[in-house]
Amino acid sequence: MIMIENRWIVRKGTQTLYLLFISGFCSFTLGSPDCHLITMTKTYTEAKTYCREMYTDLATVHNSTDMANLITIVPSTIARAWIGLETGDVWMWHWSWPDQKLDFLKWKVGEPQMKNEDACAAMDQQGEWIESDCGTQRSFVCHGNSDISGLIFVAETKSWRDAQNHCRGLSSYLISIQSAEENEAVHTVSASQNVWIGLFKDSWKWSDGSKTSFRYWKPRQPNNLSGQDCVAAIFRDKGQWNDLKCNGKRFFVCNGEAETANNLMTPNTTDLVSSTPNTELNNATTEMSTVTPTKQPPNTTAQVTTDSVSTLTTLMGTSAQTTTPSSTLKPTENSQSFPTDNLILIQENMTWIEAVGYCREHHIDLVHISSKDIQGKVAETAKNATSLHVWIGLRYTCKFNFWFWTKSTSGCYHNWAPGQGSERKYDCDVTGAIEATGRQQWVGLPETEKLNFICYVCTG
């Protein structure tokens, strides 16, 4: 994740100097390297050389969480920046769900076709796999949650890319198949129709050698035009990726521990969106530093610096219909809010992700509880809730089995209910809530439940 804590703009005459205070890391996972937005313009090759000399390499985006962090944190004034994806010489098949092994194959005789071009895989009526043009319209199967047998069949026909985006909108992925039993289950749920599965072929590779298959292309990209062998994230376009000619000079993102902190540069203003007058501060100065997160032991409430809102959710394509844009998430006229100091209870039931979006759109963030004093204020505020529990800014990672606040919070305070927190292991997509009544302790609940929630508010 890249976190830009503050941005100052100093303008003298016609020259604009952007000074960025940057700290953060590429992913919320423990032990991941620092990630740095470099505000100088370089060609892709120059940027890669710089990153390898000053840090480790150009940034790799491993999953939807990493991408959501970039979209959430990088300011809209940054038009585009190089990331570490480039064309390679080998065309490979990947599952769209990152880090899934390609151990099981069920190709039809004569498949796949040995062509050096982008392609996607479908399951035919006999349950065998065929290579297909990714633009073909088909039904498809997404991974589901455990309460729906792990599969979601979508009868509506879409291109492979639109099907992928639809699954991402469900906080899921197009199905990846790891065994004959799973293949038969997909064949059964598809009612013997030709359906998309999550297998695709391309020649893109990551500069640092990572094998992650995560892709986040703009519509109709990559267009694979001659010389467009390097990739930039287009932050004016929701951070979606575009293949571009490598000799273009752009900002870029490095990962790894910094060799030096001297990264304050005067950017080329052609790579910036114009700033509004209220962002201009005369004679402003700022100091840049890099903060490396401290590794936390497992089964604790980890204080990890992150804005990972899982998949935010539609990092994720225009076809996703599972969430409402945060700008439209407003309490109804009949709902009430109860401010207590710098806290406000929103008496409107939303999912955890919707609540995060609402708080960040209209206030600061979901509340974080780092002390007994704050717990007392939150508990008092929660008493007015119309739901049995109230969302707080706490999230669980099932991969590493620990809890973390959505932004860094100092202190080690916790107030888990018996049997909750570090005492148990949860399913994925679980987030934190406080009991509205009783002992008002913390519990883990599925993020899709709809509850009241408490936001931090600006007090002046």
Side-chain angles (χ1 to χ4, degrees):
M1 164 183 118
I2 300 174
M3 181 171 290
I4 298 179
E5 302 289 352
N6 205 348
R7 173 166 51 86
W8 300 92
I9 302 174
V10 183
R11 177 168 292 175
K12 287 187 178 182
T14 59
Q15 185 180 24
T16 302
L17 174 64
Y18 290 75
L19 303 178
L20 301 178
F21 172 68
I22 303 174
S23 66
F25 54 105
C26 282
S27 170
F28 72 88
T29 54
L30 292 179
S32 56
D34 288 346
C35 202
H36 313 267
L37 173 67
I38 308 301
T39 57
M40 67 175 90
T41 56
K42 290 184 177 292
T43 67
Y44 181 89
T45 301
E46 291 170 345
K48 180 162 66 173
T49 299
Y50 179 93
C51 289
R52 288 178 173 179
E53 290 177 350
M54 307 302 289
Y55 299 94
T56 300
D57 212 318
L58 279 166
T60 297
V61 182
H62 293 88
N63 49 44
S64 295
T65 300
D66 283 1
M67 199 61 234
N69 291 335
L70 286 172
I71 295 169
T72 305
I73 300 304
V74 173
S76 59
T77 52
I78 304 300
R80 60 183 68 82
W82 292 125
I83 59 174
L85 194 61
E86 59 192 53
T87 53
D89 298 324
V90 180
W91 292 79
M92 297 180 60
W93 288 94
H94 313 270
W95 291 112
S96 64
W97 187 348
D99 303 323
Q100 299 298 298
K101 294 182 179 179
L102 196 63
D103 291 338
F104 174 80
L105 299 171
K106 187 66 174 178
W107 291 110
K108 192 179 185 72
V109 175
E111 301 283 356
Q113 303 164 28
M114 306 305 291
K115 296 180 180 179
N116 290 337
E117 58 185 32
D118 289 346
C120 299
M123 178 181 288
D124 69 9
Q125 295 177 349
Q126 288 73 46
E128 296 181 307
W129 303 355
I130 57 174
E131 182 174 330
S132 177
D133 183 289
C134 300
T136 303
Q137 302 285 307
R138 303 182 190 279
S139 303
F140 53 97
V141 179
C142 307
H143 284 280
N145 299 317
S146 58
D147 58 342
I148 46 179
S149 302
L151 298 175
I152 300 174
F153 172 67
V154 180
E156 182 181 0
T157 60
K158 296 178 180 289
S159 68
W160 189 93
R161 181 79 62 79
D162 287 345
Q164 177 194 48
N165 288 337
H166 185 99
C167 293
R168 284 179 175 176
L170 300 175
S171 297
S172 183
Y173 297 91
L174 274 171
I175 191 71
S176 59
I177 301 172
Q178 303 297 329
S179 67
E181 291 76 16
E182 290 181 7
N183 196 75
E184 183 58 30
V186 174
H187 184 223
T188 299
V189 77
S190 67
S192 296
Q193 298 184 44
N194 282 9
V195 294
W196 287 126
I197 60 176
L199 198 60
F200 70 98
K201 179 176 67 173
D202 70 10
S203 63
W204 295 97
K205 66 177 184 178
W206 292 100
S207 174
D208 67 356
S210 296
K211 301 302 182 183
T212 178
S213 61
F214 180 79
R215 306 289 187 265
Y216 188 47
W217 297 109
K218 289 179 60 177
R220 296 178 294 279
Q221 297 294 334
N223 54 22
N224 300 311
L225 295 179
S226 177
Q228 294 190 177
D229 298 329
C230 302
V231 175
I234 312 302
F235 294 105
R236 290 181 299 189
D237 229 341
K238 302 178 182 178
Q240 297 176 101
W241 302 352
N242 196 3
D243 59 332
L244 299 169
K245 292 186 176 181
C246 303
N247 58 4
K249 294 201 170 187
R250 317 189 188 286
F251 297 163
F252 53 99
V253 184
C254 300
N255 66 17
E257 186 174 347
E259 296 290 338
T260 176
N262 186 25
N263 292 323
L264 293 179
M265 299 292 174
T266 304
N268 184 332
T269 56
T270 60
D271 235 26
L272 293 169
V273 180
S274 59
S275 305
T276 55
N278 62 3
T279 61
E280 299 174 10
L281 298 175
N282 292 328
N283 301 320
T285 59
T286 187
E287 179 181 332
M288 170 186 260
S289 63
T290 301
V291 179
T292 302
T294 302
K295 185 172 182 179
Q296 302 288 336
N299 299 315
T300 63
T301 305
Q303 311 299 333
V304 181
T305 305
T306 179
D307 270 329
S308 65
V309 184
S310 185
T311 52
L312 248 194
T313 55
T314 59
L315 180 64
M316 298 110 236
T318 56
S319 61
Q321 302 296 326
T322 57
T323 59
T324 306
S326 60
S327 60
T328 65
L329 294 174
K330 298 181 180 179
T332 63
E333 292 182 2
N334 294 326
S335 67
Q336 302 180 57
S337 58
F338 294 85
T340 300
D341 294 332
N342 63 333
L343 307 179
I344 186 168
L345 169 69
I346 307 299
Q347 271 193 334
E348 180 82 0
N349 289 335
M350 297 185 188
T351 67
W352 187 87
I353 289 175
E354 290 172 342
V356 170
Y358 178 88
C359 288
R360 292 181 179 178
E361 175 77 14
H362 301 286
H363 302 292
I364 298 176
D365 205 347
L366 272 177
V367 66
H368 305 157
I369 303 174
S370 58
S371 68
K372 186 174 182 180
D373 179 61
I374 296 176
Q375 165 68 22
K377 292 178 181 179
V378 171
E380 186 65 28
T381 305
K383 288 180 180 178
N384 294 300
T386 59
S387 56
L388 293 178
H389 296 88
V390 179
W391 289 129
I392 56 179
L394 197 56
R395 188 167 186 84
Y396 178 75
T397 165
C398 56
K399 184 173 183 179
F400 293 96
N401 188 27
F402 68 81
W403 287 87
F404 62 92
W405 295 103
T406 55
K407 288 188 178 179
S408 63
T409 303
S410 59
C412 297
Y413 178 80
H414 62 85
N415 189 32
W416 291 105
Q420 298 283 334
S422 60
E423 296 184 20
R424 62 174 289 187
K425 188 172 183 178
Y426 299 81
D427 294 332
C428 297
D429 301 323
V430 171
T431 45
I434 185 173
E435 299 166 330
T437 58
R439 299 183 67 182
Q440 297 186 281
Q441 294 177 293
W442 308 346
V443 298
L445 297 173
E447 65 180 19
T448 53
E449 289 201 21
K450 294 197 172 186
L451 310 175
N452 290 188
F453 53 97
I454 296 175
C455 303
Y456 277 127
V457 299
C458 184
T459 57

